[in-house]
């Protein structure tokens, strides 16, 4: 809940795998995009790369040289395959209620996501919590992706809140890296499929099963790890 001196505070959220149940869909559609292009990439390796921007994901999995040649085509193939699911995306348990709870307690809720355009619109429709969201820092607003801090810094700028008065919630090591580099305390959720130990090593101050578990903890009086 807000601090005793009533300073505004920001709750910054990743979306994919944190609020909306999309990580497995990204793995399958990236796997198929790579397969169609003649590349064998394991689902495990793709899963550990979800959360990166398309070009960065391709570079991590195929190398920088191959990424320069193929990232655009592979990204377009993934986008087309993933787009087939836009109408069926589902929020993770408690996601919308968590955002509404925080907004009702005076937090400025901001999304920081590598999605943009129609994909971001589909994610927001799935969340169905626009009334609780103050602003969104999307792929259309930044030049760098996570784990670079720019997406989180942009979210803080939109919220008008300094890093010490904010919390960033995400599900990947890339989220934790972006948050810690931006000077924000990080909370992780396990619903994206990344192990607790990896998230803690990457900078998570606390870890919850999913948005519903985080909401239950907040309702029970848990204090978030802000400065």
């Amino acid at each position: 809940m807000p601090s005793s001196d009533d300073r505004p505070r920001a709750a910054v959220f990743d979306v994919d795998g944190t609020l909306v149940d999309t990580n497995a869909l990204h793995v399958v559609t990236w796997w198929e995009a790579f397969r169609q292009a003649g590349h064998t990439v394991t689902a495990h390796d793709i899963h550990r790369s979800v959360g990166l921007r398309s070009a960065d994901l391709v570079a991590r999995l195929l190398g920088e040289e191959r990424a320069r040649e193929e990232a655009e085509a592979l990204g377009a193939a993934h986008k087309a395959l993933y787009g087939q699911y836009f109408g069926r995306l589902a929020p993770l348990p408690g996601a919308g209620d968590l955002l509404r709870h925080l907004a009702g307690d005076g937090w400025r809720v901001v999304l920081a996501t590598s999605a943009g355009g129609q994909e971001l619109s589909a994610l927001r429709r799935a969340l169905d919590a626009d009334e609780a969201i103050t602003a969104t820092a999307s792929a259309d607003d930044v030049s760098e992706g996570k784990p670079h801090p720019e997406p989180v810094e942009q979210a803080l700028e939109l919220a008008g809140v300094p890093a010490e008065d904010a919390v960033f919630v995400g599900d990947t090591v890339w989220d934790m890296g972006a948050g810690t580099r931006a000077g924000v305390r990080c909370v992780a959720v396990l619903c994206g499929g990344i192990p607790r130990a990896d998230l803690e090593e990457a900078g998570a101050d606390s870890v919850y099963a999913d948005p519903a578990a985080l909401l239950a903890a907040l309702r029970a009086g848990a204090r978030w790890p802000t400065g």
Side-chain angles (χ1 to χ4, degrees):
M1 53 185 63
S3 59
S4 58
D5 61 5
D6 291 326
R7 290 180 303 175
R9 294 202 164 189
V12 181
F13 284 87
D14 171 63
V15 181
D16 281 297
T18 301
L19 297 173
V20 183
D21 190 13
T22 56
N23 281 9
L25 297 176
H26 279 299
V27 171
V28 169
T29 51
W30 270 116
W31 180 89
E32 178 61 16
F34 284 122
R35 189 199 68 80
Q36 290 178 2
H39 301 297
T40 300
V41 183
T42 68
H44 175 270
D45 287 342
I46 296 170
H47 181 219
R48 299 307 292 263
S49 302
V50 167
L52 295 171
R53 293 190 309 173
S54 292
D56 296 332
L57 181 147
V58 174
R60 184 171 189 265
L61 295 172
L62 297 184
E64 294 287 348
E65 182 176 352
R66 189 63 61 85
R68 284 192 293 271
E69 298 171 353
E70 298 188 51
E72 185 174 351
L74 285 165
H78 164 259
K79 185 175 181 180
L81 290 161
Y82 179 60
Q84 299 175 62
Y85 296 96
F86 280 176
R88 291 173 281 169
L89 300 182
L92 284 155
D97 288 339
L98 172 60
L99 300 190
R100 285 185 284 268
H101 173 83
L102 289 166
D105 269 0
W107 289 78
R108 298 177 182 177
V109 176
V110 184
L111 307 182
T113 174
S114 58
Q118 292 182 342
E119 181 181 349
L120 177 58
S121 296
L123 291 167
R124 292 189 66 147
R125 284 195 302 273
L127 269 176
D128 192 24
D130 276 355
E131 73 278 10
I133 298 169
T134 299
T136 300
S138 75
D140 303 323
D141 304 314
V142 297
S143 58
E144 299 287 347
K146 303 165 191 170
H148 193 280
E150 186 183 5
V152 179
E153 292 169 344
Q154 174 68 11
L156 296 177
E157 183 176 339
L158 291 171
V161 172
E164 61 267 24
D165 291 327
V167 175
F168 179 48
V169 184
D171 69 299
T172 69
V173 296
W174 319 116
D175 293 327
M176 300 302 102
T180 55
R181 291 173 186 177
V184 177
R185 298 295 182 92
C186 295
V187 172
V189 287
L190 298 172
C191 44
I194 301 302
R196 175 186 296 267
D198 292 3
L199 294 166
E200 290 177 338
E201 183 179 354
D205 290 278
S206 54
V207 182
Y208 296 88
D210 55 21
L214 174 52
L215 175 58
L218 292 173
R219 285 176 168 166
R223 301 289 297 180
W224 276 19
T226 50

